[in-house]
Amino acid sequence: MPDLDLAKAMDVARLAAVAASVASLVHFRRGVRVERKPDRTPVTQADRDSEAAVLTIVREAFPDHGFLGEETGAHGAGAATRWIVDPLDGTKGFARGGGFWGALVALEHRGTVVAGAMALPALGETYWAARGLGAWLRAGDLPPARLRVSAIADWADATLSFGEPHVLFRPPMLERLAGLALSAQAARCYGDLAGCALVLQGKAEAWVEAGVQIWDLAPLQILVEEAGGTFTDLDGKPTH
């Protein structure tokens, strides 16, 4: 990919996720008022401030790139390279003082996500990856560690991580997922990006999510694949 500096893109994605974490933690510690968008999904000032922080980092590094953010929509439509951002995935949990929320930042180049990052600020975790450069985690003050998915191959020994149950636990998904959950050794339902983090850290062998938008998933494909895993849609097609 000679026309794109992937190492720089990966670092910018990481810095953007960190900047969003700083912005959101300010509100997390003092509390925020939850509003409702026209689609009835929740939003807070932390979401808006976090997206502004990401946009500032991205614009300074790549002023010509497009941008698609959950809160501010599309900027620079038609660009071959664009950033896809959910500044605060898990707003409901965030507003109630939970720990499973954070920023999702991805760089899509000609239809393929090639770099990305995510953060779980309340847990002190930042994840980042780029095509061919591996997937990495910094937890607290520890040095970065390369991520590898679990080596467990027998489903009877596996842990299944679920996403949003209000979407997944309905027909026709319910019967299929119940079969998977009951045949695995364990099932977990952390939700949002924390559900995927279990797979990235090798603490779960599979994660299933549905009823989401592109910004809810965009960086997760590159993170999972660079950690040695497989990321597909519900029909088995590799895609973000």
Side-chain angles (χ1 to χ4, degrees):
M1 204 167 296
D3 54 342
L4 184 63
D5 185 340
L6 286 181
K8 178 181 177 181
M10 180 172 69
D11 196 47
V12 169
R14 178 184 63 82
L15 291 173
V18 170
S21 298
V22 172
S24 57
L25 281 171
V26 170
H27 296 281
F28 183 65
R29 292 177 177 132
R30 70 186 186 201
V32 292
R33 181 172 64 90
V34 179
E35 305 167 38
R36 293 286 173 182
K37 292 188 281 191
D39 63 0
R40 303 300 299 160
T41 57
V43 65
T44 70
Q45 190 59 44
D47 296 76
R48 300 186 185 100
D49 289 353
S50 297
E51 184 156 319
V54 171
L55 186 55
T56 296
I57 296 290
V58 167
R59 282 284 179 263
E60 288 178 355
F62 297 106
D64 297 329
H65 287 186
F67 187 91
L68 175 64
E70 179 179 8
E71 307 309 330
T72 60
H75 310 242
T81 305
R82 67 171 178 171
W83 293 81
I84 304 172
V85 174
D86 184 344
L88 204 167
D89 188 50
T91 299
K92 294 176 185 176
F94 168 85
R96 298 195 63 178
F100 301 148
W101 54 269
L104 293 167
V105 181
L107 179 62
E108 181 190 57
H109 184 63
R110 296 175 182 167
T112 301
V113 170
V114 295
M118 75 179 200
L120 290 163
L123 305 184
E125 297 175 356
T126 305
Y127 303 73
W128 64 94
R131 186 70 63 201
L133 299 178
W136 302 86
L137 164 65
R138 169 164 273 163
D141 295 328
L142 295 174
R146 189 155 187 168
L147 292 165
R148 294 296 302 176
V149 296
S150 167
I152 291 176
D154 190 337
W155 187 251
D157 298 324
T159 292
L160 172 62
S161 177
F162 285 117
E164 175 54 63
H166 285 117
V167 178
L168 292 170
F169 296 175
R170 293 178 179 178
M173 292 290 293
L174 178 58
E175 182 176 346
R176 298 166 65 186
L177 288 176
L180 286 173
L182 293 173
S183 58
Q185 184 181 70
R188 299 287 183 264
C189 193
Y190 284 18
D192 302 310
L193 69 172
C196 183
L198 291 180
V199 173
L200 292 172
Q201 293 192 44
K203 297 176 180 178
E205 281 62 54
W207 172 63
V208 181
E209 181 65 282
V212 289
Q213 302 294 330
I214 187 172
W215 45 72
D216 297 307
L217 297 175
L220 303 181
Q221 180 187 19
I222 189 70
L223 284 161
V224 169
E225 291 179 349
E226 285 298 313
T230 300
F231 194 96
T232 75
D233 65 15
L234 295 175
D235 294 318
K237 176 185 176 183
T239 174
H240 60 284

